Amino acid sequence: MKRIAIIGSSGGNLYNLGGADPQKLLSEIRIQADSAGVEIAAIQFIAAQSSMDGAGKDTPAAVYSWDASSSTPVVRFTGTLEECNQYAKESDESIADALRSGQVDGIVSMSADPNGANQLTVQAAVEKHIPIVGTGGTSMALISAKGAKVILTSGTTGTTNRTRAISFLTAFSKHWGISYRPLIGDTGSGSISNSPWKRINIRGIMMSSLPGFIALALVLAVSKIPGLDMLSGVFDVLIKALPVVIAAVAAKQVSDMEEVSVVAGVLAGILSMDGGIIGGMIGGIGAGLLVNVLFRKCVEWKFPTTTVNIIAGGVSGLIAGLIVYYLLAPIALQAGEWVKVLIEGAVAYSPILAGLIAGLLIWPAIIGGVYHAAILPIVLLEMEKTGNSFLGAVDMVGLVMVSAGITLANILLPRDKSEATVATPGFLINMGFGTFVEAAYPFMFSNKLVFAGAIVSSGIAGMMVGVFDVRGTAYVPSVMAPLLSNNMMGFIVAMASGLACSLIITLIANQIAKKKSMQAIDEKMSA
């Protein structure tokens, strides 16, 4: 197994591009090193609490080193920058000895000081022809001038913790002839996938983009207030911007190359605006896929890391966006229109029947995992056109209000006193934030009558949505939801019907369950 040492500092420009968070910066290198089968032998990293461009000898700082037992970077010393530089000379000598004895095979240098805190290490690397990769224009120029074997060098502009780490390990793997595939994903939680195709998740993209749609609904509601009608122009701008939001989220999810993927997604989204949110999603996914491909190729071609990031972020977004702009936008826009026409056709045929069916099916859909995969995207497609949604209204009255009714019943008349404690947070969250319908699950799954009551109540509430031809949204406080609808009084009636029906049915079910429990106790006592 190859072993590397990491040397350097939080730097000047680096400080603004990840150096201010040494744990995250160093941990990203550790993650990519693990993927390459490379071991970290030592770390000597001086982290100041401000950019080195303006830091003085009295600036607070810390020295990070490598803790082999926990396999994590740890703080070994804190003090002024001058004190930290003095302390670092000990580890500089130790790393230099490790290089000369063959215990270190490569060096990662980030804004290192080859004439100060890292002088002995760089000298040893020159003597032993140890390969060095690194960033920091001035620092790497000085290291190269000393005759070091530099196999990858770049400035820090345009780089991120992840892209730097991947560049470093890609260069080492090519130099040593070892296999390496970058680990990309939620590296904090351990949910990591090497394949960007496996990270394409329509449900995740839609859920992450939801705040943008709620903002659209809020602007629509406020624009109806007398004197604030000028916000209707803001509403129009937001509708046009939704594909950009979707594209940025999609690119970030698929590529997860931090700011690089976000830039690519935004560029693709701007060019995909004529395709609606479906066009934005296609453009964003395409940009995310291309970011990974172009990034890897540019690193293999030994482009400077800054250039790699510019090409990966800029060119990927342009290519994906132009494909949608010239080829796919009309198709994507038409697909969105078909969904809208289908919903409007069903409502036009019989709004009461459409609301009843939607209400009856929405609980089985969310329990079966279909809601977020199928219904939520349709809700967002509706909101893209008008700022609110027929199915969004059914969501609020049939899921949120019904869940609130069930939990309220278990606060007022629980089967057991402990159930009131469980129900209270769920009720408050549903009423206060318009979400957390899962709070009703414990009561629904433990009582068939409550389960049936939830579906019946949702059907009735959905039917009322059809009666009043309501368009609205969930995921907002219950007191605010009617203000975001096209029919405030109609939405209030529909919401009240869902809450009242589920409340009454659950109260009855709880009373029946308590009587049965008491009868069972009496029978045991008499026996």
Side-chain angles (χ1 to χ4, degrees), residues 8 29 54 73 150 175 186 212 222 244 276 344 351 374 403 421 484 495 526:
I29 298 174
V150 176
H175 179 75
D186 184 6
V222 175
V244 182
E344 290 182 345
S403 178
T421 304
L484 306 184
M495 290 171 65
S526 61

Side-chain angles (χ1 to χ4, degrees), residues 44-393:
Q44 185 236 62
F45 190 86
I46 301 173
Q49 291 187 15
S50 66
S51 169
M52 292 292 187
D53 290 338
K57 63 181 182 178
D58 294 326
T59 300
V63 179
Y64 284 77
S65 65
W66 181 246
D67 182 23
S69 60
S70 62
S71 296
T72 57
V74 295
V75 175
R76 292 295 187 195
F77 180 83
T78 58
T80 65
L81 183 57
E82 184 177 33
E83 291 170 341
C84 286
N85 282 328
Q86 290 297 321
Y87 178 85
K89 289 182 178 180
E90 296 180 15
S91 55
D92 182 34
E93 185 176 354
S94 175
I95 295 173
D97 291 341
L99 286 167
R100 292 190 174 94
S101 62
Q103 299 176 43
V104 176
D105 304 293
I107 293 176
V108 173
S109 170
M110 293 176 290
S111 299
D113 182 5
N115 294 322
N118 307 113
Q119 182 177 4
L120 298 179
T121 297
V122 172
Q123 288 178 356
V126 172
E127 295 171 12
K128 303 294 291 185
H129 301 288
I130 301 294
I132 298 176
V133 298
T135 59
T138 302
S139 169
M140 293 306 296
L142 292 173
I143 290 174
S144 297
K146 292 180 179 293
K149 186 178 181 179
V150 176
I151 62 173
L152 175 72
T153 182
S154 175
T156 54
T157 302
T159 65
T160 68
N161 289 335
R162 183 160 299 170
T163 58
R164 283 191 299 273
I166 293 174
S167 298
F168 296 156
L169 271 299
T170 299
F172 278 136
S173 64
K174 285 182 66 67
H175 179 75
W176 290 324
I178 59 178
S179 177
Y180 165 60
R181 287 188 63 83
L183 281 181
I184 299 172
D186 184 6
T187 54
S189 66
S191 176
I192 303 170
S193 172
N194 279 332
S195 172
W197 292 96
K198 293 181 180 179
R199 294 193 296 273
I200 298 175
N201 186 329
I202 304 302
R203 178 174 62 181
I205 294 170
M206 288 297 191
M207 284 298 295
S208 298
S209 304
L210 185 60
F213 290 83
I214 299 300
L216 179 74
L218 289 171
V219 170
L220 176 64
V222 175
S223 68
K224 295 178 180 179
I225 299 174
L228 295 177
D229 54 339
M230 77 287 290
L231 287 174
S232 59
V234 176
F235 177 79
D236 295 335
V237 171
L238 284 175
I239 283 183
K240 293 179 181 178
L242 288 178
V244 182
V245 175
I246 291 279
V249 171
K252 176 66 168 62
Q253 181 189 100
V254 173
S255 174
D256 205 10
M257 296 286 279
E258 299 177 315
E259 290 89 342
V260 174
S261 53
V262 174
V263 170
V266 169
L267 287 173
I270 291 171
L271 291 171
S272 304
M273 289 170 62
D274 290 342
I277 64 173
I278 294 179
M281 185 178 298
I282 295 171
I285 291 173
L289 294 171
L290 284 171
V291 164
N292 287 52
V293 173
L294 291 182
F295 183 90
R296 186 156 190 152
K297 287 296 181 184
C298 289
V299 172
E300 290 176 355
W301 294 333
K302 297 185 178 181
F303 285 9
T305 308
T306 297
T307 304
V308 172
N309 282 260
I310 292 171
I311 293 175
V315 176
S316 297
L318 285 174
I319 292 175
L322 288 171
I323 290 173
V324 176
Y325 184 83
Y326 284 112
L327 299 177
L328 302 179
I331 300 172
L333 186 62
Q334 188 59 52
E337 289 292 335
W338 284 338
V339 173
K340 181 185 175 185
V341 168
L342 181 63
I343 297 294
E344 290 182 345
V347 174
Y349 176 75
S350 175
I352 296 176
L353 180 61
L356 175 62
I357 293 174
L360 291 173
L361 294 179
I362 200 163
W363 272 108
I366 194 168
I367 292 172
V370 177
Y371 172 85
H372 293 99
I375 296 179
L376 181 62
I378 295 174
V379 170
L380 299 188
L381 282 167
E382 284 191 88
M383 291 184 70
E384 178 191 19
K385 306 299 179 183
T386 60
N388 44 41
S389 159
F390 180 81
L391 285 179

